[in-house]
């Protein structure tokens, strides 16, 4: 990756394709006759540098489990491309079980004309295995990653791989590949579920930065007061990396509850809890055969209210000066488009 930031900053320009054309010199003393150089240099600004100038918009996709899902994905990406996202990331199954599909999705993103960012975890990954996969990503033209530890597999107490933490992965990637990858890392505004304290988790984040990470992608956080406290604390701790905030559109009760509680222990603020209660699907949103008389109406009303809630959340994050809005697109484009259009994310710059 060529970082043209400093060059263009000095020149007062944005990133662009530069054409250098020189035809002839007649300067005295130069013993060069006639020559012609036509070089085309593609200068790409790092995402973390771009974030310093404006709030970036990006999306997250996951590799579909079915062939049909894979076939539909390019169409979804085309719709999302209307918003000119700075990048689209793709999740990675812990243990690398879906690495093939992940690479395929990264290619779709690249073909659509934006930067693919692959998530990558150390779970069940040896050093050699990690190097092999990262070499392959580079060969595919994928040089942006979200470096993660991943969740410890059920029934295990370790990562079952050569590295224990995301900090180790960041160091390994920097030591092995220098600046070839731009590296994002996870940040947890409420503290990672297994951390000893918020302070120790912030120290880990600082270590990620010291090991060479470029920017932060955050875990879900609906508690805006906690987010603001965390933002303040990490800055005081010397973390200067831009913050790209992960936002899950609130569209479905079961998915929202599951995302908050199944692994992450996220607090739901009063407004969101009330929404869930107001449109509660009986006997519960996880039941495969709900007996709720107003099932379809409630689903629709919840989604409508959830979209409005998500838009207000985006407003709050922007008011806190975050450097990026990273929408979990959930491989859907219609609801996500409504959120972007109504929030003014692409028009309020
Ligand atoms: P780490 O930063 O390594 O932290 C894990 C825990 O260990 C924390 O409690 C931390 O405080 C502690 N810790 C870290 N370093 C040390 C140390 N040196 N000494 C002592 N304690 C330490 N998972 C997937 O499987 N696939 C995905 O695609 C995926 N995408 C994600 C995207 C985002 C934006 C986020 C926020 C998370 C994603 N996850 C994904 C989930 C993530 O893998 C889990 O949250 C995982 O449990 C922790 O990963 P981490 O990189 O935050 O771990």
């Amino acid at each position: 990756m060529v970082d043209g930031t400093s060059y263009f900053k000095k020149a007062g320009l944005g990133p662009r394709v530069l054409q250098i054309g020189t035809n002839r010199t007649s300067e005295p003393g130069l013993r060069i006759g006639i020559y012609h150089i036509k070089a085309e240099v593609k200068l790409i600004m790092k995402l973390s540098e771009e974030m310093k100038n404006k709030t970036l918009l990006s999306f997250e996709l996951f590799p579909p489990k079915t062939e049909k899902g894979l076939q539909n994905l390019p169409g979804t990406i085309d719709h999302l491309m209307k918003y000119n996202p700075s990048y689209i990331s793709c999740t990675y199954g812990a243990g690398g079980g879906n690495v093939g599909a992940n690479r395929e999705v990264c290619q779709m993103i690249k073909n659509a004309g934006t930067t693919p960012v692959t998530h990558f975890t150390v779970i069940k990954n040896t050093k050699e295995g990690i190097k092999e996969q990262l070499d392959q990503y580079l060969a595919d033209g994928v040089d942006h990653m979200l470096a993660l530890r991943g969740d410890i597999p059920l029934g295990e107490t370790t990562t079952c791989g050569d590295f224990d933490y995301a900090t180790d992965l960041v160091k390994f990637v920097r030591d092995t590949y220098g600046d070839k990858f731009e590296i994002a890392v996870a940040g947890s505004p409420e503290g990672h579920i297994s951390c000893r304290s918020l302070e120790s988790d912030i120290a880990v984040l600082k270590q990620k930065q010291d090991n060479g990470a470029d920017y932060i992608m955050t875990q879900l956080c609906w508690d805006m007061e906690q987010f603001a406290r965390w933002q303040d604390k990490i800055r005081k701790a010397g973390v200067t990396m831009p913050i790209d905030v992960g936002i899950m559109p609130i569209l479905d009760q079961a998915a929202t509850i599951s995302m908050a509680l199944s692994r992450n222990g996220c607090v739901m603020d009063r407004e969101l809890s009330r929404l869930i209660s107001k449109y509660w699907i009986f006997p519960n949103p996880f039941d495969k055969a709900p007996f709720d008389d107003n099932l379809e109406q409630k689903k629709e009303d919840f989604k409508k209210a959830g979209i409005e809630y998500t838009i207000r959340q985006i407003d709050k994050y922007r008011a806190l000066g975050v450097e990026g809005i990273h929408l979990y697109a959930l491989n859907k484009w219609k609801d996500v488009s409504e959120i972007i259009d109504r929030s003014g994310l692409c028009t309020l710059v």
Side-chain angles (χ1 to χ4, degrees):
M1 185 175 42
V2 185
D3 175 13
T5 313
S6 44
Y7 175 86
F8 280 115
K9 264 198 176 155
K10 271 188 213 144
L13 299 168
R16 66 195 59 201
V17 172
L18 180 73
Q19 280 222 340
I20 307 167
T22 310
N23 294 324
R24 184 186 175 92
T25 177
S26 57
E27 265 185 75
L30 274 180
R31 285 171 182 259
I32 309 169
I34 296 172
Y35 67 93
H36 185 89
I37 305 170
K38 188 159 190 244
E40 199 171 87
V41 186
K42 195 169 187 189
L43 290 158
I44 301 164
M45 196 186 265
K46 285 174 79 171
L47 293 167
S48 48
E49 288 294 330
E50 272 191 72
M51 282 184 209
K52 291 177 188 162
N53 299 330
K54 67 169 193 162
T55 313
L56 296 193
L57 170 67
S58 61
F59 300 113
E60 176 180 305
L61 300 174
F62 58 86
K65 290 203 171 71
T66 62
E67 201 47 48
K68 188 163 180 272
L70 262 180
Q71 279 166 13
N72 288 340
L73 201 55
T76 302
I77 297 173
D78 279 348
H79 281 288
L80 295 174
M81 285 301 291
K82 182 179 137 197
Y83 298 103
N84 200 16
S86 298
Y87 72 88
I88 299 182
S89 77
C90 178
T91 61
Y92 175 98
N98 67 349
V99 70
N102 167 293
R103 282 180 48 210
E104 213 173 313
V105 175
C106 286
Q107 281 316 302
M108 290 177 192
I109 297 167
K110 210 163 141 47
N111 293 341
T114 191
T115 302
V117 175
T118 182
H119 297 201
F120 194 87
T121 81
V122 304
I123 302 297
K124 296 184 182 166
N125 257 333
T126 60
K127 255 187 217 175
E128 292 70 30
I130 291 173
K131 180 148 185 344
E132 213 171 284
Q133 290 172 70
L134 295 184
D135 285 347
Q136 188 62 62
Y137 280 113
L138 281 182
D140 290 349
V142 177
D143 55 8
H144 290 68
M145 67 186 295
L146 170 61
L148 298 157
R149 183 197 68 182
D151 288 323
I152 302 290
L154 281 178
E156 303 288 350
T157 51
T158 70
T159 61
C160 307
D162 283 350
F163 294 131
D164 294 327
Y165 299 110
T167 45
D168 305 329
L169 176 61
V170 175
K171 185 166 175 357
F172 176 76
V173 177
R174 277 289 171 253
D175 289 350
T176 313
Y177 296 98
D179 283 337
K180 283 188 181 156
F181 281 96
E182 178 155 30
I183 306 176
V185 286
S188 303
E190 295 176 83
H192 181 265
I193 185 78
S194 66
C195 72
R196 186 166 69 228
S197 63
L198 186 62
E199 287 68 28
S200 71
D201 212 36
I202 290 173
V204 166
L205 194 56
K206 175 70 166 51
Q207 189 66 53
K208 290 177 181 180
Q209 175 176 289
D210 293 347
N211 287 0
D214 294 298
Y215 67 102
I216 305 165
M217 276 197 218
T218 62
Q219 187 53 272
L220 291 178
C221 179
W222 291 299
D223 180 346
M224 297 311 292
E225 281 176 20
Q226 173 58 26
F227 183 88
R229 262 195 304 275
W230 173 81
Q231 192 181 25
D232 193 41
K233 274 174 178 274
I234 67 166
R235 294 305 181 220
K236 281 189 180 139
V239 176
T240 54
M241 293 183 282
I243 304 171
D244 199 1
V245 164
I247 298 181
M248 187 180 86
I250 304 294
L251 305 172
D252 175 86
Q253 276 185 11
T256 305
I257 299 169
S258 164
M259 196 67 180
L261 300 181
S262 66
R263 284 178 187 270
N264 299 320
C266 287
V267 166
M268 283 193 224
D269 69 342
R270 183 173 297 131
E271 197 184 340
L272 183 54
S273 302
R274 281 189 172 158
L275 273 190
I276 292 174
S277 296
K278 185 171 174 187
Y279 300 109
W280 187 259
I281 291 169
F282 288 99
N284 68 66
F286 297 96
D287 199 287
K288 290 223 160 46
F291 52 70
D292 201 308
D293 287 344
N294 293 323
L295 182 64
E296 290 313 317
Q297 191 61 47
K298 277 188 179 173
K299 278 187 176 175
E300 202 180 301
D301 290 346
F302 179 78
K303 193 199 249 194
K304 196 164 163 248
I307 286 177
E308 273 158 22
Y309 175 89
T310 309
I311 293 170
R312 280 195 297 280
Q313 208 196 6
I314 291 173
D315 292 341
K316 289 176 193 164
Y317 274 126
R318 296 185 81 192
L320 285 171
V322 299
E323 284 85 4
I325 300 284
H326 183 60
L327 280 173
Y328 300 174
L330 311 165
N331 292 10
K332 295 176 179 167
W333 62 269
K334 275 194 188 143
D335 301 319
V336 174
S337 300
E338 183 178 345
I339 289 167
I340 299 173
D341 291 339
R342 288 181 50 204
S343 67
L345 258 181
C346 287
T347 46
L348 283 173
V349 195

